[in-house]
Amino acid sequence: MRYTSTRDARVNATSSQAIARGIAPDGGLYLPRTIPPLTLWEIKSLADMDYIGRAEHILSKFLTAEGGWSRDELQTHLKKAYDGTFSNPNIAPLKAFGEHAHILELFHGPTCAFKDMALQLLPQLLVSASEKSLGAGKEIMILTATSGDTGKAALEGFKDVSGTKIVVFYPIEGVSAVQKRQMISQEGSNVRVVGVVGNFDDAQTGVKSIFANENIAALLAAKNRFLSSANSINWGRLVPQIVYYISAYCDLLRNETIMAGESINFVVPTGNFGNILAAYYAKRMGLPIKRLICASNQNRVLTDFFETGTYNRNRPFYTTSSPSMDILISSNLERLLYLAARRDAEQCAGWMRQLSAEGKYTISPEVLRLLQNEFVGGSCDEKQCAAAIRRAWEERGYLSDTHTAVALHVLDDYRARTNDPTHSVVAATASPFKFAGSVLEAIGTPAPKNEFDALEKLEAVTGMPCPAPLRGLRDKPARFSETCMPARMAEFTRW
């Protein structure tokens, strides 16, 4: 298994090199040269395994012996990531949700968001990959931009991991009070948190520019350091996410909800495109998926792209109640475009140059048709999001966060338009308690202005227990208060 770049077909790296570096030398994203197959026989055998067993089998197809990985090593990393760190023993449990639908809960990790599914594992993979590809003794400096949940999950995952330092940049006005307190109160001697004046795209662009700066790379190399990322631009962050889509299908098989080989739909609330891209990789491996339904909030840049073939970030930016999706530059879409363009790195690089220079690009009608055969886009405004939360609570007794509610609305809209009876699985990406104020208002209860008061009120009103990691958050002291303009972000690599 070798890896190449979305922008230069000559790049030829092992899996450990791809994970350690995070981003390719040409600024492109690493991805496997071939997608390993997953047979129906394998899927049926995985149905009898637990989550860790499934993950070991799937990851071993991407992290092979050639890259320096052994099955025993993968199992050790997986047990450290998932054993005892998730509040639900099934790690990513499925909950029935009405007729022909289930919800895949991905928020039972230590930060109550789906990012834990990958970021509890990435530190082990990254440190190991660094030793395999770069040699022992080097310090990894991890730079991460976050729209809310990635930051805390990355900080928690890398906290006090030997040989690493991590700097998380978040948009000052673009995260909830709970998300912010989770980050700025983070413990650990190797962590740092910085607020950026601007939105998530400003922070993400700043991180990408640091990676592309050869002078910074040279200065770090002189100190025996190198840069890497915990964002989903890092293949080591993306590959663990493939697992939970395959695992969900296996659970449906084991529960006799579907027959072996029966196709299902996945509905994924999407911002940076990494989460739904993992489902696409699962499909390309052989998982029977009919439609990948890409759910956007009011920042519907992806919905418009799948409808028209034009990606255009030159539009108003909306701050919504689903902040992890408040994104206009979806970085992982580049990996999908590369595959849809039949691995034409030159064409893919051209689209990315246009996006950088003009803020938009248009794919060919042929590529658009290929994408529309796989993906359906849909969006949800703030009123529709609140209505979806209320409907799920009143009709199903299910308490949804704002991001998952976007997906629930988009699924309802998709079914109304298509009459598609295919069994559908909705990815639930965060605990409703992370957005307690918005959830309270949606179910018809006035929310306190203080988000930490809202946590307690949501628990009292619904009878649902507040997750332990959020319960004591109010009283955790803030450790970080630094802020900067995007142009100053590079200064924090000197730490």
Side-chain angles (χ1 to χ4, degrees):
M1 176 62 68
R2 306 289 293 188
Y3 287 73
T4 189
S5 168
T6 52
R7 303 186 191 181
D8 187 348
R10 295 169 297 179
V11 171
N12 186 28
T14 65
S15 53
S16 56
Q17 289 170 335
I19 292 173
R21 294 169 182 166
I23 193 166
D26 55 19
L29 305 185
Y30 284 111
L31 76 177
R33 285 186 171 273
T34 58
I35 297 176
L38 184 70
T39 66
L40 187 58
W41 181 87
E42 286 178 281
I43 294 170
K44 290 161 71 174
S45 66
L46 290 173
D48 295 325
M49 299 182 186
D50 63 10
Y51 191 87
I52 290 176
R54 294 168 183 173
E56 180 190 333
H57 182 85
I58 295 158
L59 290 180
S60 70
K61 291 176 174 288
F62 292 96
L63 310 181
T64 60
E66 183 186 22
W69 310 92
S70 70
R71 293 289 288 262
D72 286 345
E73 180 186 10
L74 290 177
Q75 186 177 77
T76 298
H77 292 331
L78 287 162
K79 286 184 176 179
K80 186 174 182 180
Y82 298 122
D83 263 358
T85 56
F86 282 67
S87 60
N88 191 298
N90 294 325
I91 312 301
L94 276 177
K95 297 287 181 67
F97 190 79
E99 189 176 8
H100 304 307
H102 274 75
I103 292 182
L104 176 61
E105 293 188 338
L106 303 172
F107 53 76
H108 293 286
T111 75
C112 306
F114 83 100
K115 309 297 175 72
D116 291 323
M117 299 297 299
L119 284 166
Q120 282 297 296
L121 180 60
L122 179 62
Q124 288 83 256
L125 295 181
L126 186 54
V127 171
S128 182
S130 170
E131 293 174 353
K132 296 177 196 304
S133 62
L134 302 173
K138 290 187 179 293
E139 185 177 70
I140 309 167
M141 173 159 278
I142 300 142
L143 303 183
T144 294
T146 184
S147 56
D149 289 330
T150 289
K152 172 59 179 178
L155 291 164
E156 188 67 25
F158 282 95
K159 177 183 67 178
D160 291 328
V161 172
S162 178
T164 70
K165 285 188 174 181
I166 178 169
V167 184
V168 167
F169 298 97
Y170 71 94
I172 291 174
E173 301 298 331
V175 299
S176 73
V178 168
Q179 288 173 318
K180 180 178 179 180
R181 179 53 63 93
Q182 282 188 300
M183 289 187 284
I184 65 173
S185 63
Q186 177 65 47
E187 299 170 350
S189 60
N190 64 332
V191 305
R192 195 168 182 179
V193 180
V194 182
V196 175
V197 179
N199 58 37
F200 170 75
D201 291 326
D202 297 319
Q204 180 170 248
T205 300
V207 167
K208 286 182 177 179
S209 69
I210 293 171
F211 274 92
N213 191 314
E214 294 180 358
N215 291 331
I216 292 175
L219 288 171
L220 290 172
K223 298 180 180 180
N224 211 28
R225 293 179 178 178
F226 72 96
L227 290 175
S228 193
S229 175
N231 282 102
S232 55
I233 58 175
N234 190 316
W235 179 253
R237 163 75 186 280
L238 189 64
V239 68
Q241 295 180 269
I242 298 172
V243 175
Y244 52 72
Y245 291 106
I246 297 171
S247 182
Y249 190 92
C250 291
D251 284 343
L252 292 174
L253 271 185
R254 186 165 60 185
N255 298 340
E256 299 183 346
T257 301
I258 60 173
M259 302 289 290
E262 181 179 343
S263 292
I264 65 173
N265 297 328
F266 279 106
V267 192
V268 187
T270 308
N272 214 23
F273 206 74
N275 201 5
I276 197 168
L277 180 68
Y280 177 71
Y281 270 99
K283 181 176 182 178
R284 290 288 296 263
M285 290 177 73
L287 193 69
I289 299 175
K290 180 181 178 182
R291 283 285 181 271
L292 292 167
I293 302 172
C294 179
S296 301
N297 65 13
Q298 200 166 346
N299 293 293
R300 46 173 287 144
V301 63
L302 286 166
T303 303
D304 292 340
F305 171 71
F306 284 118
E307 289 178 355
T308 68
T310 295
Y311 192 99
N312 189 350
R313 66 174 173 84
N314 302 316
R315 60 179 65 213
F317 177 87
Y318 298 102
T319 300
T320 74
S321 61
S322 49
S324 296
M325 300 162 68
D326 291 347
I327 295 172
L328 295 181
I329 303 175
S330 301
S331 291
N332 265 293
L333 189 62
E334 182 173 343
R335 283 186 168 112
L336 176 66
L337 292 173
Y338 176 84
L339 295 174
R342 305 185 190 281
R343 297 182 175 269
D344 186 336
E346 185 176 347
Q347 186 175 50
C348 190
W351 289 327
M352 294 305 102
R353 285 193 296 269
Q354 278 187 281
L355 181 64
S356 178
E358 304 169 24
K360 62 180 180 178
Y361 58 84
T362 299
I363 60 177
S364 68
E366 178 189 8
V367 173
L368 178 59
R369 281 193 299 271
L370 288 172
L371 292 181
Q372 289 176 337
N373 286 335
E374 310 276 0
F375 291 86
V376 176
S379 65
C380 176
D381 64 26
E382 289 293 87
K383 288 184 179 179
Q384 292 166 329
C385 177
I389 294 172
R390 183 172 61 253
R391 193 162 54 249
W393 178 244
E394 292 177 351
E395 297 178 5
R396 309 288 183 195
Y398 190 86
L399 195 62
S400 163
D401 87 293
T402 48
H403 303 74
T404 307
V406 169
L408 292 173
H409 169 82
V410 169
L411 175 59
D412 284 345
D413 182 62
Y414 168 78
R415 284 178 163 172
R417 288 187 288 109
T418 64
N419 294 316
D420 182 2
T422 303
H423 196 95
S424 298
V425 175
V426 175
T429 55
S431 164
F433 284 88
K434 292 200 77 169
F435 307 93
S438 296
V439 173
L440 279 168
E441 295 287 349
I443 62 175
T445 302
K449 290 184 178 180
N450 184 291
E451 283 199 35
F452 302 102
D453 291 337
L455 285 173
E456 297 173 2
K457 189 168 185 178
L458 183 61
E459 185 175 44
V461 168
T462 64
M464 304 286 289
C466 178
L470 301 180
R471 188 183 298 278
L473 196 57
R474 180 205 298 265
D475 299 323
K476 291 196 71 172
R479 293 185 62 208
F480 303 99
S481 59
E482 293 172 296
T483 63
C484 74
M485 299 297 292
R488 286 193 51 236
M489 289 170 60
E491 296 175 16
F492 291 91
T493 62
R494 300 171 190 163
W495 172 39

